[in-house]
Amino acid sequence: MKAKIILTVVLVAVILALGITEQVFMQNSFDDLADKCVEIQEMLIQKDYAEARKAIIQMKEWWAKRRDILEFTCPNNDVKDIYKEIGELEGTMYAEMYDDSITRTNVIKSMAENSKNLLAYKIKNIL
């Protein structure tokens, strides 16, 4: 009987730890993505297009790694769509459509903020 109680407590602790870790990872990922969008947007406004291209490529590679984990822990179409939007941002940069690139950074930032709010454990999301 005592072993069952200990096992139950350990399992509950593991489940809570995994849930908390997932929430922290998810929120940090979306916050970091929004920050990267702001940085890229500032580069575009300052007309530092070469650095913006490098930052976009780095962001795309970074998000690809994060996306794999996020899709596993919290499936959401926005997580998939963000990668597509980053690809479109990259395309607008190569086409030298810099105004559109600024718009794309705003879209990605908004998607990150919305996804974070939808996937967070909040009373309004649970009910």
Side-chain angles (χ1 to χ4, degrees):
M1 183 71 162
K2 190 175 185 180
K4 288 182 182 181
I5 293 173
I6 291 172
L7 180 61
T8 303
V9 170
V10 168
L11 287 175
V12 168
V14 168
I15 291 170
L16 282 173
L18 289 174
I20 292 168
T21 302
E22 180 266 332
Q23 282 293 297
V24 169
F25 180 80
M26 181 268 302
Q27 291 188 17
N28 287 343
S29 295
F30 288 123
D31 287 341
D32 291 347
L33 180 62
D35 292 343
K36 289 176 187 297
C37 286
V38 170
E39 291 171 9
I40 292 169
Q41 193 173 53
E42 289 172 2
M43 290 176 200
L44 291 169
I45 290 169
Q46 295 171 1
K47 300 184 190 292
D48 190 359
Y49 302 128
E51 286 301 313
R53 279 190 184 99
K54 290 178 189 175
I56 291 168
I57 291 169
Q58 289 172 349
M59 180 174 69
K60 186 176 182 181
E61 292 169 357
W62 171 83
W63 184 253
K65 294 174 188 171
R66 295 285 176 134
R67 181 188 71 167
D68 291 339
I69 297 168
L70 288 169
E71 285 179 353
F72 177 72
T73 59
C74 51
N76 184 331
N77 287 337
D78 285 347
V79 172
K80 296 173 186 174
D81 290 342
I82 288 172
Y83 193 72
K84 180 185 73 103
E85 288 292 332
I86 294 172
E88 290 183 16
L89 171 61
E90 188 177 27
T92 59
M93 283 299 297
Y94 284 116
E96 297 179 358
M97 299 166 56
Y98 303 121
D99 290 339
D100 288 343
S101 297
I102 293 171
T103 302
R104 289 282 171 212
T105 58
N106 282 330
V107 169
I108 296 167
K109 182 180 171 206
S110 295
M111 290 176 78
E113 291 168 354
N114 288 336
S115 294
K116 177 183 164 187
N117 289 331
L118 286 173
L119 296 171
Y121 284 120
K122 296 180 182 177
I123 296 296
K124 70 178 185 174
N125 294 344
I126 295 170
L127 300 176

